[in-house]
Amino acid sequence: MKRQTIAVTSIILFSLAIILFNIFSNRIGFTDSAEYIDVAKAIAGLINTNVFVMHSIVYSLFLGIFLKIFPYLLTLKLLNAVWLILDAILIYLIAKDKKALYIWIFSPIAYYMSTWISPMLPISFLFLLSYYYIKRYEADNKLIYLAVSALSIGLIAALREQMIAVAGLF
């Protein structure tokens, strides 16, 4: 019980640190900016432009929903930070060890990526979620776990087409 309390406290402190880092950080990372943020702005009705996309539009649709409600760049940064927080929770659930959680919490890559607006953050969460449910399926043999894992892999392919090949290896 005490170990779970420490882990929950650690995740809460990590969440607070990531959120504060995003609020006060001047740095904003973009990969394929025009393909995600500009399309999300167009979907939210914030800009009028002809949109050309090379990658999937699913991630831009997802971002556009939140931009319609809160039309700020900080909204996108905080939304992407949520994926890292969810990763921390899944890491603890999978490893059941606070050392693995601390490696993630104190990892510089978590803070570096927290300001990036990229589909790689939800993709990493969905891969981890798929792994979690595959392991649950192997332990309990319930088809619902396999279905959730397959749904996660499908969402990964919908977010970024190149991940189809990686998902096939998974």
Side-chain angles (χ1 to χ4, degrees), residues 14-141:
F14 173 68
S15 303
L16 186 62
I18 287 284
I19 290 169
L20 289 174
F21 185 75
N22 271 289
I23 290 172
F24 294 114
S25 175
N26 292 338
R27 185 187 172 288
I28 301 165
F30 296 108
T31 54
D32 300 328
S33 164
E35 296 208 26
Y36 298 113
I37 297 171
D38 290 347
V39 174
K41 286 180 180 178
I43 290 169
L46 299 175
I47 60 171
N48 290 328
T49 183
N50 291 332
V51 178
F52 175 74
V53 234
M54 291 286 291
H55 299 297
S56 172
I57 197 168
V58 173
Y59 185 63
S60 299
L61 285 169
F62 176 74
L63 294 178
I65 293 168
F66 291 94
L67 276 179
K68 189 104 173 142
I69 300 167
F70 304 108
Y72 308 106
L73 193 55
L74 182 62
T75 304
L76 300 180
K77 287 172 56 177
L78 292 176
L79 185 61
N80 281 299
V82 167
W83 297 113
L84 297 172
I85 295 165
L86 291 173
D87 279 340
I89 294 168
L90 274 179
I91 286 169
Y92 181 72
L93 288 176
I94 291 169
K96 293 183 179 39
D97 182 17
K98 62 183 178 185
K99 290 178 189 173
L101 179 63
Y102 289 154
I103 288 172
W104 178 246
I105 287 175
F106 293 112
S107 170
I109 194 74
Y111 295 91
Y112 178 76
M113 289 300 294
S114 72
T115 60
W116 278 73
I117 299 170
S118 168
M120 291 304 142
L121 298 172
I123 286 171
S124 71
F125 168 74
L126 290 169
F127 264 126
L128 201 55
L129 185 69
S130 179
Y131 175 79
Y132 175 72
Y133 278 107
I134 282 177
K135 289 298 180 186
R136 298 260 329 247
Y137 171 72
E138 288 174 353
D140 297 339
N141 235 7

